[in-house]
Amino acid sequence: MHRYFIKLAYKGTSFHGWQKQSNATSVQQAIEIQIQKILGRELGLTGCGRTDTGVHATEFYAHFEVDERVDTGLMQHKLNLMLPRSIAIYNIFEVDLEDHARFSATRRTYRYFIKTLKDPFSNGLYWHLRQDLSIDAMKEAAGFITGRHEFTSFKKMGTPTETDWCQVFASFWKPTLNGYMYEISADRFLRNMVRALVGTMVEIGKQRVPAKSINGLLIEKDRSKAGYSAPAEGLFLHKVEYPFIQKGIQE
């Protein structure tokens, strides 16, 4: 038995998230169909996580298992020819059988993009807000998120989880051309967590609530007290890290 990792990226606009669904088109389904054509048999992909409808990934990993060795270069070439332009396969490489796309990841990084100027060339890739925000207030709020916290107030209501604790390694805002970018890195994320954090911090950026209110929300563990979820189109899974992937080799 051989296990292979696929490194890929996708524009999520036309997909109903990563995970395969019976009544909608997903990224997982699109790739599985083409791999099955190449290998002549059914197989399943295991992704490094889930992304919701309309969310993008500049770096995503999935793995699959086969009995025989695969010509990874040829498979990568064929997949890039067969898949739509919204999905790109960057690399396919063999890993140990215990290496897992989801459970072996030690750090994930998301980025969220906001623009205050309408941009027809980036349609579907950012949240268009028609007013300037206080970047200083949002930076202050983002700083409170760093560390180990329970993020119950920022997960989708009704989502079952074993624990809501997450270790956030980095959380910051920076100005961009005609907008803002938020970046957050953590060991794990709850469903809808990043979008809920962004929506809440935008309210802080509009100076409707103080930056330190983030602390109270973390303590209260009540989703209804936090801000609305930011739209999906501005969110990107930016990077996924594994201890067995050497920078510059499998990347």
Side-chain angles (χ1 to χ4, degrees), residues 50-63:
R50 299 179 180 180
T51 56
D52 291 334
T53 299
V55 175
H56 319 288
T58 52
E59 182 172 279
F60 194 96
Y61 288 91
H63 78 249

Side-chain angles (χ1 to χ4, degrees), residues 6-71:
I6 303 176
K7 180 183 178 182
L8 64 136
Y10 55 86
K11 181 180 180 182
T13 305
S14 58
F15 296 102
H16 291 261
W18 158 262
Q19 189 163 330
K20 185 163 54 179
Q21 302 176 46
S22 60
N23 59 349
T25 302
S26 69
V27 179
Q28 179 185 9
Q29 180 185 39
I31 299 173
E32 282 184 355
I33 289 172
Q34 302 309 328
I35 291 180
Q36 289 165 11
K37 288 179 181 178
I38 293 170
L39 297 179
R41 70 179 71 88
E42 291 189 3
L43 57 76
L45 287 175
T46 299
C48 61
R50 299 179 180 180
T51 56
D52 291 334
T53 299
V55 175
H56 319 288
T58 52
E59 182 172 279
F60 194 96
Y61 288 91
H63 78 249
F64 65 92
E65 292 180 354
V66 289
D67 292 328
E68 71 285 350
R69 290 191 181 277
V70 170
D71 184 333

Side-chain angles (χ1 to χ4, degrees), residues 193-209:
M193 175 175 154
V194 181
R195 291 168 59 192
L197 285 168
V198 170
T200 301
M201 285 188 281
V202 163
E203 290 297 292
I204 291 170
K206 292 177 179 178
Q207 299 186 308
R208 293 177 177 173
V209 289

